[in-house]
CSV table of all heavy atoms in Angstrom, one decimal:
chain,number,residue,atom,x,y,z
A,14,TYR,N,-17.5,8.2,-22.9
A,14,TYR,CA,-16.0,8.3,-22.9
A,14,TYR,C,-15.7,8.8,-24.3
A,14,TYR,O,-16.4,8.5,-25.3
A,14,TYR,CB,-15.3,7.0,-22.7
A,14,TYR,CG,-15.4,6.6,-21.2
A,14,TYR,CD1,-16.2,5.5,-20.8
A,14,TYR,CD2,-14.6,7.2,-20.3
A,14,TYR,CE1,-16.2,5.2,-19.5
A,14,TYR,CE2,-14.6,6.9,-19.0
A,14,TYR,CZ,-15.4,5.8,-18.6
A,14,TYR,OH,-15.5,5.5,-17.3
A,15,HIS,N,-14.6,9.6,-24.5
A,15,HIS,CA,-14.2,10.1,-25.8
A,15,HIS,C,-12.9,9.4,-26.2
A,15,HIS,O,-11.9,9.5,-25.5
A,15,HIS,CB,-14.0,11.6,-25.8
A,15,HIS,CG,-15.4,12.3,-25.5
A,15,HIS,ND1,-16.3,12.5,-26.5
A,15,HIS,CD2,-15.9,12.7,-24.3
A,15,HIS,CE1,-17.4,13.0,-25.9
A,15,HIS,NE2,-17.2,13.2,-24.6
A,16,LEU,N,-12.9,8.7,-27.3
A,16,LEU,CA,-11.7,8.1,-27.8
A,16,LEU,C,-11.4,8.8,-29.1
A,16,LEU,O,-12.1,8.5,-30.1
A,16,LEU,CB,-12.0,6.6,-28.0
A,16,LEU,CG,-12.3,5.8,-26.8
A,16,LEU,CD1,-12.7,4.3,-27.1
A,16,LEU,CD2,-11.2,5.7,-25.8
A,21,VAL,N,-18.1,7.4,-26.9
A,21,VAL,CA,-18.7,6.1,-26.6
A,21,VAL,C,-19.6,6.2,-25.4
A,21,VAL,O,-19.2,6.5,-24.3
A,21,VAL,CB,-17.5,5.1,-26.2
A,21,VAL,CG1,-18.1,3.7,-25.9
A,21,VAL,CG2,-16.4,5.1,-27.2
A,23,VAL,N,-21.6,5.1,-22.4
A,23,VAL,CA,-21.5,4.0,-21.5
A,23,VAL,C,-22.7,3.9,-20.6
A,23,VAL,O,-23.3,2.8,-20.4
A,23,VAL,CB,-20.2,4.0,-20.7
A,23,VAL,CG1,-20.1,2.9,-19.7
A,23,VAL,CG2,-19.0,3.9,-21.6
A,41,GLY,N,-25.2,-7.4,-14.2
A,41,GLY,CA,-25.1,-7.1,-15.6
A,41,GLY,C,-23.9,-7.7,-16.2
A,41,GLY,O,-22.9,-7.8,-15.5
A,42,PRO,N,-24.0,-7.9,-17.5
A,42,PRO,CA,-22.8,-8.5,-18.2
A,42,PRO,C,-21.6,-7.6,-18.2
A,42,PRO,O,-21.7,-6.4,-17.9
A,42,PRO,CB,-23.3,-8.8,-19.6
A,42,PRO,CG,-24.6,-8.0,-19.8
A,42,PRO,CD,-25.1,-7.7,-18.4
A,43,SER,N,-20.5,-8.2,-18.4
A,43,SER,CA,-19.2,-7.5,-18.5
A,43,SER,C,-19.4,-6.4,-19.6
A,43,SER,O,-19.9,-6.6,-20.6
A,43,SER,CB,-18.1,-8.5,-18.9
A,43,SER,OG,-16.9,-7.8,-18.9
A,44,GLY,N,-18.9,-5.2,-19.3
A,44,GLY,CA,-19.0,-4.1,-20.2
A,44,GLY,C,-20.3,-3.3,-20.2
A,44,GLY,O,-20.5,-2.4,-20.9
A,45,SER,N,-21.2,-3.7,-19.2
A,45,SER,CA,-22.5,-3.0,-19.2
A,45,SER,C,-22.5,-1.7,-18.5
A,45,SER,O,-23.4,-0.9,-18.5
A,45,SER,CB,-23.5,-3.9,-18.6
A,45,SER,OG,-23.1,-4.3,-17.3
A,46,GLY,N,-21.3,-1.3,-17.8
A,46,GLY,CA,-21.2,0.0,-17.2
A,46,GLY,C,-21.3,-0.1,-15.6
A,46,GLY,O,-21.4,1.0,-15.0
A,47,LYS,N,-21.2,-1.2,-15.0
A,47,LYS,CA,-21.2,-1.3,-13.6
A,47,LYS,C,-20.1,-0.6,-12.9
A,47,LYS,O,-20.3,0.2,-12.0
A,47,LYS,CB,-21.2,-2.8,-13.1
A,47,LYS,CG,-22.3,-3.7,-13.7
A,47,LYS,CD,-22.2,-5.1,-13.2
A,47,LYS,CE,-20.9,-5.9,-13.6
A,47,LYS,NZ,-20.7,-6.0,-15.1
A,48,SER,N,-18.9,-0.8,-13.3
A,48,SER,CA,-17.7,-0.1,-12.7
A,48,SER,C,-17.8,1.4,-12.9
A,48,SER,O,-17.5,2.2,-12.0
A,48,SER,CB,-16.4,-0.6,-13.3
A,48,SER,OG,-16.2,-2.0,-13.0
A,49,THR,N,-18.2,1.8,-14.1
A,49,THR,CA,-18.4,3.2,-14.4
A,49,THR,C,-19.4,3.8,-13.5
A,49,THR,O,-19.1,4.9,-12.9
A,49,THR,CB,-18.9,3.4,-15.9
A,49,THR,OG1,-17.9,2.8,-16.8
A,49,THR,CG2,-19.1,4.8,-16.3
A,50,LEU,N,-20.5,3.2,-13.2
A,50,LEU,CA,-21.5,3.7,-12.3
A,50,LEU,C,-20.9,3.8,-10.9
A,50,LEU,O,-21.1,4.9,-10.2
A,50,LEU,CB,-22.7,2.7,-12.3
A,50,LEU,CG,-23.9,3.1,-11.5
A,50,LEU,CD1,-24.5,4.5,-11.9
A,50,LEU,CD2,-25.0,2.0,-11.7
A,169,ASP,N,-16.7,-3.1,-5.9
A,169,ASP,CA,-16.8,-3.5,-7.4
A,169,ASP,C,-16.3,-4.9,-7.5
A,169,ASP,O,-15.2,-5.2,-7.5
A,169,ASP,CB,-15.9,-2.5,-8.2
A,169,ASP,CG,-16.2,-2.6,-9.7
A,169,ASP,OD1,-17.1,-3.4,-10.1
A,169,ASP,OD2,-15.6,-1.9,-10.4
A,170,GLU,N,-17.3,-5.8,-7.8
A,170,GLU,CA,-17.0,-7.2,-7.9
A,170,GLU,C,-16.1,-7.7,-6.7
A,170,GLU,O,-15.1,-8.4,-7.0
A,170,GLU,CB,-16.4,-7.6,-9.2
A,170,GLU,CG,-17.2,-6.9,-10.4
A,170,GLU,CD,-17.4,-7.8,-11.6
A,170,GLU,OE1,-17.2,-9.0,-11.4
A,170,GLU,OE2,-17.9,-7.3,-12.6
B,301,ADP,P1,-18.5,-3.4,-16.3
B,301,ADP,O1,-17.9,-3.0,-15.0
B,301,ADP,O2,-20.0,-3.6,-16.3
B,301,ADP,O3,-17.8,-4.5,-16.9
B,301,ADP,P2,-17.4,-0.9,-17.3
B,301,ADP,O4,-18.1,0.2,-16.6
B,301,ADP,O5,-16.0,-1.2,-16.9
B,301,ADP,O6,-18.3,-2.2,-17.4
B,301,ADP,O7,-17.3,-0.5,-18.8
B,301,ADP,C1,-18.4,-0.1,-19.6
B,301,ADP,C2,-18.0,0.3,-21.0
B,301,ADP,O8,-17.2,1.5,-20.9
B,301,ADP,C3,-17.1,-0.7,-21.7
B,301,ADP,O9,-17.4,-0.8,-23.0
B,301,ADP,C4,-15.7,-0.2,-21.5
B,301,ADP,O10,-14.9,-0.5,-22.6
B,301,ADP,C5,-15.9,1.3,-21.6
B,301,ADP,N1,-15.0,2.1,-20.8
B,301,ADP,C6,-14.7,1.9,-19.4
B,301,ADP,N2,-13.8,2.8,-19.0
B,301,ADP,C7,-13.4,3.5,-20.1
B,301,ADP,C8,-12.4,4.5,-20.4
B,301,ADP,N3,-11.6,5.0,-19.4
B,301,ADP,N4,-12.3,5.0,-21.6
B,301,ADP,C9,-13.0,4.5,-22.6
B,301,ADP,N5,-14.0,3.5,-22.5
B,301,ADP,C10,-14.1,3.0,-21.3
Side-chain angles (χ1 to χ4, degrees):
Y14 287 108
H15 297 278
L16 299 172
V21 184
V23 176
S43 184
S45 58
K47 302 181 296 298
S48 297
T49 301
L50 183 57
D169 195 1
E170 311 223 14

